[in-house]
Amino acid sequence: MGITERKNVVTKATAYLIPFLGFFALLLIWDILARFSGWSRQVFPGPVVVLVSMGELLADGTLVKHTVASLFRVTVGFYLAALLGIPIGIALGMMKTARSLINPLIQFMRPISPLAWIPLAMLWFGIGDPPAIFLIFLSSFFPLVVSTTIAVDGINQTYFYVAANFNFSRYETIMRVVVPAITPEVVTALRMTVTISWLVVVAAEMIAVQSGLGFLILDSRNALRMDYVMDGMIVIGLVGLALDALMRQLGSLEAASWRSKAH
């Protein structure tokens, strides 16, 4: 193995190890605080206690059940928001008259926190999955509409002139010009909104449902099991990392580099 190859191997190994250093430092600080803060294990359990309790929750299926319930709600609400929000954003980006009419309403609704809708969601949909899915939908829908609209509005007009020269229909223009051109911005918006959805579902589950990681945290707090609370928090963070990694993989798709190659 040559010197250059060795350097590349070391560089790659370092790139993989560096992200774990922050987690190791966090665990170390956590353990030190748990040992010397003066708080009891019931109030501030250390990493070993939390790890053991996580094994208990995994063994009886509790943690898996609540994680799957949360992921189900996020998946349904997020996909509904994407399926409706992105086409609406494309339409508003291409039709300025419609945008002038609807954009003020969107800008009025967008700043309202999804959590402010909880009382209405519970009245409209009762207790269970529907109110949580509705809140997740709201948290993702408006950011996706706005981001997609801005992305379409920012497309270089030259592309549309070329499409007109080739006599593209409206559908062909959207599929061959608009969709590839806005893919990078839409992927970025999806990456941001899926994180927001994950935040919202945990909050919604503390109020409107009887399952999910948010419910697990609230129920564990009521039972004074702070180790279970921290287990729920850790799983939330791990799932958030996984969702972000999935969205980054979407960003590396060939279609996502269409505009940069066109330039």
Side-chain angles (χ1 to χ4, degrees):
M1 182 180 294
I3 297 177
T4 303
E5 292 179 349
R6 290 179 181 177
K7 288 183 178 179
N8 290 335
V9 171
V10 172
T11 301
K12 290 180 179 179
T14 303
Y16 282 113
L17 288 175
I18 286 178
F20 291 99
L21 293 178
F23 287 102
F24 178 77
L26 178 63
L27 285 174
L28 183 61
I29 294 171
W30 178 10
D31 186 62
I32 292 173
L33 288 175
R35 291 174 183 272
F36 302 106
S37 64
W39 289 326
S40 66
R41 289 174 54 181
Q42 285 71 31
V43 175
F44 188 50
V48 176
V49 175
V50 172
L51 183 62
V52 171
S53 64
M54 182 175 289
E56 297 173 359
L57 292 175
L58 285 171
D60 62 15
T62 300
L63 196 57
V64 175
K65 178 187 71 174
H66 289 300
T67 302
V68 170
S70 294
L71 283 172
F72 168 76
R73 295 174 187 126
V74 168
T75 301
V76 175
F78 181 72
Y79 271 94
L80 286 175
L83 290 173
L84 291 175
I86 294 175
I88 291 174
I90 292 175
L92 294 179
M94 297 183 68
M95 297 184 291
K96 294 186 178 181
T97 302
R99 184 167 72 225
S100 300
L101 177 65
I102 299 175
N103 188 60
L105 178 61
I106 292 176
Q107 297 303 326
F108 171 77
M109 300 286 288
R110 188 167 64 98
I112 301 175
S113 170
L115 301 183
W117 289 86
I118 288 178
L120 292 175
M122 294 179 67
L123 285 174
W124 293 341
F125 303 107
I127 301 297
D129 290 338
I133 292 173
F134 173 71
L135 295 173
I136 294 164
F137 170 81
L138 286 179
S139 69
S140 302
F141 176 74
F142 292 112
L144 284 175
V145 171
V146 172
S147 299
T148 305
T149 302
I150 293 173
V152 174
D153 192 51
I155 297 175
N156 191 324
Q157 291 299 311
T158 303
Y159 298 146
F160 293 108
Y161 297 148
V162 173
N165 288 335
F166 282 98
N167 294 319
F168 280 6
S169 65
R170 178 60 65 92
Y171 175 79
E172 289 176 322
T173 301
I174 292 174
M175 298 307 298
R176 296 188 180 185
V177 177
V178 175
V179 172
I182 67 173
T183 297
E185 287 83 355
V186 170
V187 169
T188 301
L190 289 170
R191 184 179 175 185
M192 294 174 62
T193 52
V194 75
T195 304
I196 297 172
S197 298
W198 190 237
L199 290 172
V200 170
V201 72
V202 172
E205 288 172 345
M206 291 184 175
I207 300 171
V209 295
Q210 300 295 314
S211 63
L213 292 170
F215 172 78
L216 173 64
I217 290 174
L218 183 64
D219 190 53
S220 300
R221 185 208 66 178
N222 294 336
L224 299 179
R225 291 299 303 264
M226 295 301 110
D227 51 343
Y228 287 176
V229 170
M230 289 188 173
D231 288 331
M233 294 169 62
I234 290 171
V235 173
I236 289 169
L238 291 175
V239 174
L241 281 176
L243 292 174
D244 184 69
L246 179 62
M247 290 297 106
R248 281 191 281 110
Q249 288 299 315
L250 285 178
S252 65
L253 294 176
E254 185 72 17
S257 60
W258 182 87
R259 183 183 292 187
S260 61
K261 289 181 178 180
H263 286 299

